Amino acid sequence: MQFIDLAAQYQHLKTKIDARIHKVLDHGHYIMGPEVLELEEQLAEYVGVKHAITCANGTDALTLAMMVLNIKEGDAVFCPTFTFFATAETIAFANATPVFVDSEESTFNICPVDLEKRIQHVITEGKLVPKAIVSVDLFGLPANYVEIEAIAKKYGLTLIEDAAQGFGGTLNGKMAGAFGDIATTSFFPAKPLGCYGDGGAIFTNNDDYAALLRSLRIHGKGSDKYDNVRIGVNSRLDTIQAAILLEKLAEFSVELGARERLAEAYAKEYAEQFIVPKLPQGYTSSWAQYTLRSDRREASMKGFENLGIPTMVYYRTCMHQQTAFVDLGYNDGDFPIAEKLAKQVFSLPMHGYASCLGYE
């Protein structure tokens, strides 16, 4: 059994993906070819925003968002401590200071109550300028944007939605990737919508942000590629990856339905043995991971291993416990819910091509 069966997915889509790749090979526009623009248009339509700007990977998407919002030294950017390293890394890379926030136990996502407390503390302390919030849609479930957007507005902060895992999920009918001032996603192969390499995208309804993003991703270009009007980066999505994503996006709704059925099967099977994820009212999840909780995690994972079922842990170490952030002065116990989750969580195989769903 595969944790994420990309081979089965490819076999299912092989004819269409191969045809798309060969079309790129025939026209030879490997960088910023026509498939890139086609994908951006389809992504914007799917998410329900004015602009989708592709880039080289999800980390670059966050970095570009920091650049557009002018995040800099002396700024405080609030983000969850229970997340993948890139969330906080890109804040530090912009020379700003990540201010970590505890989690909601029931959803794994950033806790709005603790978020407001951390903002108030930074304001009271007066050492940093509160600038932005990065909210992560963890394991496929959008964060509580009803409350988070209200907090951002109350304190005059910009909001970045990190939808790398949440892409395909919804809150009150609104797609992940459509929240905040800017949203980002990743097309890493293991993500709900993944390519066959690295890739990412940024979403926004702000015309000025979109124009700046399109410049920054290609060395800060102006009217043509040899007129550079600002310092940018080299972060373009390869045309072949765009071609692959076009076929995967066309199948995405079918795969989300299969993921949902697998999640329902897991819940039915394991609800009495483990703490299983539950969807709050008004939410759907893209089930980037199906994450159980157990106070006997290692023994539980061994039990699944004995059955031939692979498991993974996302995440064993919170951001405030990472060696790279030791100078920020956090201590164990500062984020009790996140630290508890980090000791309990483990994930089961999740993809749309499990044999129990009719695929062999």
Side-chain angles (χ1 to χ4, degrees):
M1 186 176 189
Q2 299 295 315
F3 190 78
I4 299 173
D5 199 339
L6 294 173
Q9 182 193 52
Y10 172 61
Q11 288 304 315
H12 181 67
L13 299 174
K14 177 177 170 57
T15 300
K16 294 178 179 179
I17 288 177
D18 287 357
R20 279 280 190 178
I21 292 174
H22 280 286
K23 185 176 179 180
V24 176
L25 296 174
D26 287 339
H27 67 56
H29 298 292
Y30 301 117
I31 303 297
M32 300 302 292
E35 286 80 4
V36 174
L37 178 59
E38 183 182 356
L39 176 65
E40 290 179 342
E41 291 174 345
Q42 291 193 22
L43 287 170
E45 181 179 2
Y46 178 82
V47 172
V49 296
K50 290 177 67 176
H51 305 283
I53 300 94
T54 56
C55 60
N57 54 69
T59 302
D60 277 5
L62 285 168
T63 297
L64 286 162
M66 300 290 166
M67 295 172 72
V68 166
L69 296 175
N70 194 29
I71 304 297
K72 59 186 183 304
E73 187 174 1
D75 291 338
V77 180
F78 302 86
C79 72
T81 187
F82 187 63
T83 185
F84 180 62
F85 188 69
T87 306
E89 177 187 33
T90 52
I91 298 169
F93 189 72
N95 293 316
T97 300
V99 178
F100 299 122
V101 180
D102 211 347
S103 305
E104 288 184 323
E105 188 168 357
S106 59
T107 67
F108 307 107
N109 282 327
I110 191 169
C111 173
V113 174
D114 193 56
L115 171 62
E116 186 160 22
K117 289 180 180 178
R118 305 280 172 176
I119 294 170
Q120 291 173 344
H121 176 75
V122 168
I123 292 172
T124 300
E125 193 174 44
K127 295 180 180 179
L128 299 169
V129 177
K131 188 69 173 286
I133 301 165
V134 180
S135 180
V136 180
D137 303 336
L138 209 58
F139 304 154
L141 185 70
N144 184 351
Y145 289 107
V146 174
E147 295 188 28
I148 295 168
E149 288 185 335
I151 291 170
K153 183 177 181 180
K154 178 178 178 180
Y155 293 97
L157 306 179
T158 51
L159 176 58
I160 301 169
E161 178 194 3
D162 181 349
Q165 295 182 28
F167 191 84
T170 65
L171 168 56
N172 296 332
K174 189 173 181 178
M175 299 296 301
F179 297 97
D181 298 279
I182 289 180
T184 68
T185 198
S186 167
F187 300 126
F188 184 78
K191 294 295 189 288
L193 180 65
C195 56
Y196 291 154
D198 270 320
I202 308 107
F203 305 96
T204 186
N205 287 312
N206 186 303
D207 295 340
D208 293 333
Y209 289 168
L212 188 51
L213 285 163
R214 292 189 175 100
S215 170
L216 288 170
R217 70 171 169 178
I218 308 179
H219 301 289
K221 78 177 186 68
S223 58
D224 65 70
K225 68 178 182 178
Y226 297 115
D227 175 27
N228 302 94
V229 298
R230 57 183 57 87
I231 302 300
V233 296
N234 179 20
S235 186
R236 300 165 298 196
L237 181 69
D238 290 345
T239 307
I240 285 178
Q241 298 301 339
I244 292 165
L245 284 165
L246 281 165
E247 292 305 326
K248 288 197 173 189
L249 183 59
E251 189 76 5
F252 192 47
S253 61
V254 176
E255 293 187 358
L256 287 176
R259 286 170 172 267
E260 178 64 29
R261 293 194 298 275
L262 183 55
E264 290 172 353
Y266 280 150
K268 184 177 180 180
E269 181 71 21
Y270 299 119
E272 294 185 3
Q273 299 170 253
F274 306 103
I275 301 173
V276 300
K278 298 188 185 324
L279 297 182
Q281 186 174 359
Y283 289 77
T284 67
S285 176
S286 57
W287 299 110
Q289 278 84 37
Y290 190 86
T291 301
L292 302 174
R293 292 168 54 199
S294 171
D295 289 327
R296 301 178 63 252
R297 178 171 64 193
E298 305 309 319
S300 299
M301 292 174 67
K302 184 65 176 177
F304 280 103
E305 180 185 344
N306 292 339
L307 295 172
I309 301 173
T311 58
M312 296 282 287
V313 175
Y314 306 94
Y315 301 94
R316 291 182 183 272
T317 307
C318 295
M319 291 301 100
H320 70 281
Q321 298 168 319
Q322 298 277 347
T323 303
F325 295 123
V326 68
D327 290 343
L328 294 179
Y330 292 105
N331 299 304
D332 289 347
D334 285 347
F335 303 88
I337 301 302
E339 292 172 32
K340 178 181 179 181
L341 293 174
K343 294 176 181 177
Q344 292 179 330
V345 295
F346 67 101
S347 299
L348 299 181
M350 174 52 70
H351 54 85
Y353 298 87
S355 58
C356 63
L357 299 174
Y359 294 96
E360 298 295 341

